[in-house]
Amino acid sequence: MGDVYKIAIVGSGPGGLSAAAHAAKLGVRHVLLERTDHLSDTIYKYQKGKYVMSTPDVLPLRADVTFNAGKRETILDAWNKQIADVKANVRYNADVTAVNKDGEIFKIKLADGAVIEAEAVVLAIGLQGNLNKLRCEGAGLPLVQYQLDDPDEYEAETIVVIGAGDAGIENAIALSKQNTVIMVNRSSEFARIKQGNLSLITNAIEKGDIQCYFSAETHKIEEKAIILQTADGQARVACDRIIARLGAAAPRKFVESCGIKFPNEDRTSLPEVSPTYESNVPGLYIIGALGGYPLIKQAINQGFEVVEYILGNPIAPADQPLIERKFAGLKPATVEEVLAEIRDVIPVWHSLNPLQLREAMLDSEMHVLKTGATVFKRNDYTSSFFTVLRGTVGIQIDANDPKKMITLGPGAFFGEMGLISGRRRSATVVTVGDCVLFETPRRTMLKLIGSVDSLRRTLDQVAIMRQVQTHLAPGVPVADLMELVETAEIQKFKAGDVIFAQGDKGDHMHLIRSGSCTVSMRVGGKDVVLSYVPSGNYIGEMALLSDMPRSATVKAAHATETVCIKGESFKTLLERNAPLKASVEAKFRQRIKANEQMQKQPEAGSIIEFLIAQGVGEGTDVLLIDESLCVHCDNCEKACAETHGGISRLDREAGPTFATLHVPTSCRHCEHPHCMSDCPPNAIHRTPGGEVYIDDSCIGCGNCERNCPYKVIQLAYPPDEKFNIFSWLLFGKGPAPGEAMSYKSKNGRDDHGHSEKTKRAVKCDMCKGIPGGASCVRACPTGAALRVSPEEFMSVTTLSG
Amino acid sequence: MHESILIYRKHRYLKWALALAAVSAVIYLIDRPLGAPNGGTWLGYALGTAAGGLMLWLAWFGVRKRRYGVGKVPLEDWLSAHIYLGTALALIATLHSGFQLGLNIHSVLYVTMMITIISGMVGLYFYVSYPRLLTENRRGLSTEVMLGQIAELDRDVRQIAMATDDATNAMALKSTQDTILGGTALQQLRGFDEHCPTTLARQFVESSVSSQHDAQRRQLLTRLIRKEDLLKRIRRDVQLRCLLKVWLYVHVPFSIAALAALVTHVVTVFYYW
């Protein structure tokens, strides 16, 4: 091999093959070195039929290979064909053992002794080629494997899956269909996994399909067994097979031997690269997961870009046109100038690195508004977050007097209360003068709050101040609240957690900023629920003011966040502020009266308890049925089916009943919808009116169905054609009104009666777009069906009994 | 929003119906036609037109009920009005006839219409009183859950019965295999089954159980008693749900018959004018 290649690419994963395809297209002399005898070994070894996602959706693909979300097999077939079509020069079974720079030329040694010479080298080896292995005694025995191709290959075996990450769980679930599966989880719970997988595995463990050892580590492996070190001592588990999914790390030894430096000794650290993906060794480039970009689409784009960079073409990132279009309203400023301005002006965004800021802005919407425009209205159900780049906005703090406003200038943010609580917007916001605003969706904000600590801190401080101002001390100047806010802290509670208990010393109070609580009292040895307190209210002031022990127990009805306020600072505030003291005292008296009344009718408290157990507390609009009026005609279900393509999104009969109050299986339109938490195509939205709905981009993955704790989402085939009522009555055409489709009809279905189209998730959308409101309630002939929101559901408690 | 159809919107439709009936009755009482009051006077035609129009409108309810997601007025308004105005129809049609009934085609209309109205009243009684009974009978369990519990009890019964003598075993097995729920419309409406194999098995075991060490038999008995109770509740459930529907099998066909008779009535009246 005397020839010198212009580019040698190591690794034929998405990044490597995209680079090779582009080099081939441009006619650059190149070679693609692949250790195995097929392309893209990592994806090749994905579980058979695995659905591969194409996130991030907003990022356009720029490459000479295609990539759409789909089945593993489809994607690999396309790549194989495209690599063959562009006549890329692939060398299979080429295991690279060393890359050395000799003058201006790289010498690449292969395991078979061959040496390849190139002017530039692209390392696209990813991390999966270097899987983490078990290190205990017996790890080399043949029953241990680190990958799983086709779970259907195994039958009636006892299989131990080690590693509770996404890969391990996906394997365990698939294997559990025809095998006995035992999971080994090093920690006491499943953390850092996709929400969909979490509910899958918890379900499987609850149902007994999978057995799981928590807080357990592998001690030793024997011929037909594994010995685990658990909290209760050693356990011997007989098994036929062990699948260890322990993640992967950079093949550090090899990378360092190429001359590349790592920033620190951390096992998970990755080498640093320049904006053109060049490492500290000139001419040696790193793309894909090894360079810190683990997503397939990113790697494919980088493959394209790196070839351009090597050829000396400084092309802009693939998302440039998108972000240019986004910032078009600010012309003639360039994208770089706008991004710099954002970082300078808006402190919240200051702590993001350039790449994070760019991604955040790609997700955000830029609004250029004239003076007097409404940004959002009070009582809207939106949860996005706004930042002000230029101009001023006014927050109308008094619903009755739009003139009363607090103004916010450049650099400020607003809308964080809707973001945190998930309830209706508490005030209308209008522009005062021409404005440039950025609207960032809740999903993006949550990701950033989770990953950027300083952003979370900045947000929290301002949010606490505003929450105190809105819900506790309206009209009190900021200076007077400083002490109270500085000593306040945010506390989180899970469903059922006790926030404080009856008899406790009352030295602090809580302002509920998200979620809701129940207040209960022990009467005659029994807990009686006295009231339900939604977010935006404060609790615990009674004991604080009277210096008495807590008179009641407060529990979180579901996931709840409170601002915990120190008693001393609150008392000081009250002393300084007479009107506030009067209003708190008034509430105090009102509460004593209300508690007295509730104690007289304990059955009302039981109904609150029942409704909260059914998730009504976290719902914003819940369908209830008064069984003393329901004649079981199912007209509600029929109405739902008729207005939603033949598939009813509610099951009247199912669901629990208390006294004569029935909670049917139907969407509660939660404050923080569980279904929205893990939707790959981001197809679940919330309208300003509060309705949670699924749009046409649903891919039918079923995550939402699994994530919904109330089982109100189903996967269904697209509907059949319907005829009008007289055609059905007289000629028997089509299904009856309200009847589900029969899957026997032919249009668009295969031999098994299944639709050629995929199943889609369907759920109640509150008849969004149908004038007059929810069809189920309107079609109830006897008035048994009713919809309530948590604010009004206390009134329902008088229905029953 | 949330109230029974009878008191809906503060009796709005009851007031409408009463007003309509009162106006008709007052005019009927002051009107002095030539000869006896009958359908051929000016008032007879007016009342007849009103009654015919009402019948058409009442029948339209069947269509309106199946039109979902349209119309501004909730179905509860329609049903409330349907009930009260339907009742008023009985009076208006009677006044229209001038209390003249005979063996003729016109009386066919009157009779079918009255059967429809009376069956509707029966239905209303069912609608108002049975939902609460249904809920109380279920005690918070759905039919599906109750059936699930029966299946579980059956499994137990089969297992326990294996350790008993042949006669007991045979009776227990019969209970698990031959117990019937539902059946024909009549069986469903009766709400009980005096030949229920579970009852027979329970009686058999009960009569033979003793205070001696006979754990199996006692276990079997408790299972059978529980199953019998569940069966009773399901049969009652089926019966009540059947009653909620069965009146419609009279109401709907007779309303269509009444419509046909109405057409005949109108045509013959004008043909022989």
Side-chain angles (χ1 to χ4, degrees):
Chain A
M1 278 259 169
D3 294 350
V4 177
Y5 290 105
K6 177 83 186 160
I7 306 174
I9 303 146
V10 185
S12 73
L17 65 88
S18 161
H22 193 48
K25 195 107 185 197
L26 295 176
V28 176
R29 260 183 70 73
H30 69 281
V31 64
L32 175 61
L33 303 170
E34 169 53 48
R35 182 164 62 172
T36 66
D37 61 356
H38 48 258
L39 289 176
S40 199
D41 190 47
T42 299
I43 296 175
Y44 186 88
K45 281 184 179 156
Y46 272 0
Q47 201 165 300
K48 206 171 160 191
K50 178 180 161 101
Y51 192 87
V52 183
M53 305 284 182
S54 66
T55 46
D57 290 330
V58 289
L59 184 68
L61 185 75
R62 180 171 57 180
D64 295 310
V65 289
T66 57
F67 176 56
N68 292 310
K71 276 198 180 158
R72 174 198 88 139
E73 288 75 6
T74 323
I75 291 170
L76 288 177
D77 286 350
W79 286 347
N80 282 328
K81 185 170 177 305
Q82 286 158 4
I83 285 295
D85 285 351
V86 295
K87 300 201 171 63
N89 178 27
V90 190
R91 186 160 170 172
Y92 291 107
N93 303 313
D95 189 3
V96 175
T97 54
V99 177
N100 297 314
K101 198 166 188 190
D102 184 8
E104 287 303 302
I105 301 292
F106 285 96
K107 290 206 153 97
I108 304 165
K109 281 200 191 93
L110 301 186
D112 59 9
V115 176
I116 288 167
E117 292 184 337
E119 290 171 28
V121 175
V122 177
L123 275 187
I125 53 180
L127 303 177
Q128 295 298 316
N130 189 43
L131 293 172
N132 293 334
K133 303 262 164 95
L134 288 170
R135 282 185 227 150
C136 62
E137 190 185 333
L141 287 170
L143 79 163
V144 182
Q145 66 187 61
Y146 294 95
Q147 305 235 298
L148 174 70
D149 177 21
D150 182 0
D152 295 338
E153 268 176 36
Y154 309 105
E155 263 182 338
E157 289 190 11
T158 302
I159 303 175
V160 173
V161 178
I162 305 174
D166 283 312
I169 288 169
E170 278 163 25
N171 287 173
I173 299 278
L175 285 167
S176 70
K177 284 186 197 129
Q178 7 189 25
N179 301 283
T180 309
V181 175
I182 297 149
M183 278 214 80
V184 178
N185 185 351
R186 206 164 47 162
S187 67
S188 59
E189 55 182 22
F190 292 96
R192 293 178 184 221
I193 58 169
K194 283 192 229 150
Q195 194 60 40
N197 279 337
L198 179 63
S199 37
L200 272 180
I201 187 73
T202 6
N203 262 341
I205 292 174
E206 255 171 41
K207 280 200 324 213
D209 292 348
I210 292 177
Q211 195 195 335
C212 183
Y213 283 91
F214 290 97
S215 310
E217 294 205 41
T218 320
H219 176 66
K220 190 178 159 191
I221 291 168
E222 294 171 357
E223 202 73 27
K224 278 259 170 199
I226 181 168
I227 295 173
L228 299 171
Q229 186 71 50
T230 71
D232 310 321
Q234 287 189 354
R236 186 174 186 279
V237 180
C239 60
D240 305 307
R241 190 177 300 279
I242 295 170
I243 297 178
R245 302 305 302 256
L246 309 172
R252 187 155 182 159
K253 241 189 210 154
F254 168 73
V255 176
E256 279 179 333
S257 77
C258 303
I260 297 169
K261 291 196 185 90
F262 281 71
N264 57 52
E265 284 305 310
D266 190 12
R267 228 170 60 84
T268 56
S269 85
L270 297 171
E272 279 173 359
V273 294
S274 76
T276 57
Y277 312 123
E278 199 167 8
S279 70
N280 60 308
V281 182
L284 183 51
Y285 294 78
I286 298 174
I287 59 171
L290 182 60
Y293 295 89
L295 300 173
I296 296 174
K297 204 195 257 179
Q298 290 173 333
I300 294 180
N301 280 350
Q302 289 180 353
F304 179 98
E305 287 157 14
V306 78
V307 172
E308 293 287 340
Y309 293 146
I310 292 171
L311 297 176
N313 306 326
I315 54 163
D319 56 23
Q320 190 76 2
L322 282 182
I323 202 157
E324 258 169 19
R325 218 174 307 143
K326 199 146 266 184
F327 293 165
L330 297 184
K331 270 180 181 164
T334 63
V335 168
E336 283 65 33
E337 283 164 5
V338 177
L339 285 174
E341 188 185 340
I342 293 171
R343 264 165 75 89
D344 286 347
V345 172
I346 308 174
V348 188
W349 298 129
H350 193 72
S351 46
L352 303 188
N353 70 32
L355 195 80
Q356 283 171 324
L357 180 64
R358 209 183 164 91
E359 278 175 13
M361 286 305 126
L362 269 175
D363 286 345
S364 305
E365 194 84 42
M366 189 179 86
H367 301 285
V368 181
L369 299 172
K370 292 261 176 262
T371 178
T374 306
V375 182
F376 55 71
K377 287 207 193 77
R378 190 180 136 85
N379 287 341
D380 272 3
Y381 263 118
T382 48
S383 57
S384 48
F385 175 79
F386 289 85
T387 43
V388 186
L389 181 67
R390 299 176 195 171
T392 313
V393 295
I395 300 172
Q396 299 178 349
I397 45 171
D398 189 343
N400 302 316
D401 181 9
K403 292 262 153 47
K404 261 193 181 168
M405 289 200 258
I406 301 175
T407 54
L408 298 175
F413 63 82
F414 59 95
E416 80 290 345
M417 282 204 264
L419 173 81
I420 293 165
S421 74
R423 299 239 165 176
R424 297 165 187 271
R425 295 286 193 194
S426 56
T428 301
V429 176
V430 294
T431 56
V432 185
D434 297 353
C435 278
V436 178
L437 308 176
F438 290 100
E439 178 180 3
T440 313
R442 176 177 151 83
R443 205 167 126 111
T444 311
M445 282 312 290
L446 290 186
K447 214 161 65 188
L448 288 171
I449 289 172
S451 58
V452 185
D453 235 12
S454 48
L455 181 124
R456 184 180 52 78
R457 271 202 305 275
T458 322
L459 257 180
D460 274 351
Q461 266 165 14
V462 180
I464 291 177
M465 173 62 85
R466 293 209 187 133
Q467 278 147 0
V468 168
Q469 273 184 317
T470 312
H471 301 301
L472 181 63
V476 178
V478 173
D480 286 359
L481 294 174
M482 275 320 267
E483 187 200 333
L484 183 131
V485 168
E486 268 166 20
T487 54
E489 56 182 47
I490 288 165
Q491 294 190 349
K492 293 184 183 181
F493 300 93
K494 290 199 292 288
D497 280 0
V498 173
I499 297 176
F500 55 74
Q502 189 171 347
D504 282 4
K505 202 168 148 248
D507 54 359
H508 61 275
M509 59 182 285
H510 293 265
L511 175 63
I512 307 170
R513 68 173 208 160
S514 79
S516 55
C517 321
T518 54
V519 180
S520 59
M521 202 180 261
R522 271 196 100 67
V523 179
K526 251 186 81 183
D527 271 329
V528 175
V529 174
L530 297 179
S531 61
Y532 162 83
V533 190
S535 69
N537 288 288
Y538 52 87
I539 43 169
E541 85 293 351
M542 286 177 73
L544 193 66
L545 293 177
S546 58
D547 279 319
M548 302 262 283
R550 301 280 188 204
S551 60
T553 299
V554 174
K555 279 186 195 164
H558 49 101
T560 296
E561 275 183 31
T562 69
V563 178
C564 177
I565 295 167
K566 294 271 172 313
E568 285 315 308
S569 51
F570 184 60
K571 280 184 181 166
T572 331
L573 175 70
L574 287 192
E575 273 154 31
R576 273 193 229 142
N577 200 306
L580 178 64
K581 188 166 182 177
S583 98
V584 174
E585 292 277 355
K587 188 143 193 175
F588 178 86
R589 281 190 295 274
Q590 198 188 326
R591 215 165 261 195
I592 291 180
K593 226 166 85 189
N595 284 357
E596 268 319 300
Q597 258 165 11
M598 282 302 283
Q599 279 191 49
K600 273 187 247 151
Q601 37 172 164
E603 66 282 356
S606 321
I607 292 166
I608 297 180
E609 236 179 326
F610 162 74
L611 288 175
I612 282 172
Q614 303 317 317
V616 178
E618 65 174 324
T620 59
D621 196 298
V622 188
L623 179 65
L624 297 176
I625 290 177
D626 182 349
E627 291 229 306
S628 66
L629 296 180
C630 176
V631 294
H632 299 234
C633 65
D634 279 335
N635 215 34
C636 47
E637 279 188 25
K638 287 174 194 158
C640 184
E642 274 304 290
T643 44
H644 295 90
I647 303 155
S648 176
R649 285 105 207 269
L650 96 97
D651 187 341
R652 181 191 55 76
E653 181 98 34
T657 307
F658 184 87
T660 59
L661 206 56
H662 178 65
V663 186
T665 301
S666 163
C667 181
R668 284 113 165 99
H669 300 272
C670 301
E671 286 166 358
H672 292 309
H674 301 271
C675 51
M676 277 168 84
S677 60
D678 185 23
C679 175
N682 202 9
I684 308 180
H685 309 279
R686 176 156 228 185
T687 66
E691 302 91 345
V692 179
Y693 68 99
I694 305 176
D695 72 19
D696 288 341
S697 62
C698 172
I699 53 170
C701 67
N703 280 358
C704 51
E705 186 199 23
R706 286 188 290 275
N707 286 338
C708 175
Y710 310 112
K711 303 287 163 229
V712 302
I713 301 181
Q714 44 176 323
L715 292 174
Y717 290 110
D720 270 355
E721 196 185 346
K722 275 234 134 162
F723 298 92
N724 79 36
I725 178 171
F726 292 108
S727 309
W728 159 74
L729 189 70
L730 299 173
F731 308 109
K733 274 179 129 179
E739 194 179 283
M741 263 86 42
S742 65
Y743 292 110
K744 284 172 221 131
S745 59
K746 337 131 265 318
N747 38 350
R749 302 187 193 284
D750 64 16
D751 299 343
H752 306 289
H754 291 305
S755 171
E756 283 163 13
K757 301 172 204 164
T758 44
K759 278 188 174 187
R760 294 266 183 90
V762 296
K763 69 179 281 300
C764 165
D765 60 0
M766 278 282 283
C767 293
K768 177 180 73 70
I770 299 173
S775 300
C776 48
V777 173
R778 283 200 300 152
C780 179
T782 60
L786 66 155
R787 285 192 166 271
V788 290
S789 67
E791 288 86 7
E792 42 186 43
F793 95 71
M794 285 292 287
S795 67
V796 180
T797 54
T798 55
L799 278 182
S800 211
Chain B
M1 188 68 203
H2 168 78
E3 47 197 4
S4 151
I5 27 178
L6 291 180
I7 56 162
Y8 191 60
R9 293 205 199 276
K10 296 189 184 140
H11 303 97
R12 177 191 289 179
Y13 301 103
L14 172 62
K15 289 173 192 160
W16 286 18
L18 282 177
L20 189 61
V23 168
S24 312
V26 168
I27 300 176
Y28 182 86
L29 288 176
I30 33 183
D31 183 46
R32 288 278 168 264
L34 285 174
N38 67 76
T41 65
W42 73 269
L43 180 63
Y45 276 115
L47 289 172
T49 312
L54 256 180
M55 278 181 70
L56 291 176
W57 178 82
L58 288 166
W60 181 252
F61 180 78
V63 176
R64 171 62 184 81
K65 188 188 136 183
R66 291 172 179 80
R67 291 187 145 194
Y68 305 104
V70 293
K72 286 200 184 94
V73 185
L75 194 64
E76 194 175 1
D77 279 89
W78 276 81
L79 183 58
S80 191
H82 181 87
I83 289 166
Y84 285 120
L85 294 177
T87 312
L89 173 66
L91 177 75
I92 295 167
T94 310
L95 296 179
H96 164 67
S97 74
F99 300 92
Q100 297 180 15
L101 280 175
L103 279 176
N104 55 38
I105 184 74
H106 309 294
S107 298
V108 172
L109 167 58
Y110 188 79
V111 171
T112 49
M113 184 201 72
M114 286 311 280
I115 292 176
T116 311
I117 293 173
I118 292 165
S119 64
M121 288 174 169
V122 172
L124 176 65
Y125 171 74
F126 290 173
Y127 267 28
V128 170
S129 43
Y130 290 164
R132 191 169 282 275
L133 297 181
L134 252 174
T135 311
E136 279 165 11
N137 179 54
R138 286 184 178 191
R139 284 174 234 160
L141 299 180
S142 69
T143 320
E144 215 170 296
V145 172
M146 288 196 270
L147 289 174
Q149 288 184 356
I150 289 180
E152 220 165 277
L153 287 170
D154 276 349
R155 257 199 307 277
D156 284 4
V157 165
R158 252 180 256 128
Q159 206 164 19
I160 300 166
M162 279 207 285
T164 59
D165 60 281
D166 283 355
T168 313
N169 191 20
M171 290 298 275
L173 277 186
K174 220 167 149 42
S175 153
T176 64
Q177 286 163 1
D178 298 346
T179 302
I180 296 167
L181 285 167
T184 64
L186 270 180
Q187 280 171 330
Q188 291 187 30
L189 279 173
R190 284 180 68 205
F192 67 93
D193 178 3
E194 68 270 32
H195 303 298
C196 176
T198 304
T199 308
L200 299 178
R202 196 259 306 151
Q203 287 165 349
F204 181 83
V205 179
E206 200 176 331
S207 63
S208 63
V209 79
S210 66
S211 59
Q212 303 302 314
H213 301 293
D214 194 1
Q216 266 93 22
R217 231 168 258 260
R218 259 175 293 154
Q219 278 175 9
L220 196 59
L221 184 60
T222 56
R223 302 298 192 285
L224 287 171
I225 289 173
R226 242 181 279 162
K227 186 179 166 192
E228 206 185 353
D229 174 59
L230 283 168
L231 287 172
K232 210 169 98 192
R233 276 160 61 192
I234 292 178
R235 288 196 177 112
R236 175 74 172 145
D237 192 65
V238 169
Q239 181 194 30
L240 288 171
R241 284 209 271 176
C242 226
L243 284 168
L244 280 173
K245 288 203 181 86
V246 74
W247 64 275
L248 282 165
Y249 288 91
V250 179
H251 192 69
V252 175
F254 272 92
S255 69
I256 291 171
L259 281 182
L262 175 67
V263 173
T264 322
H265 167 69
V266 173
V267 168
T268 45
V269 164
F270 286 103
Y271 187 79
Y272 291 108
W273 201 2

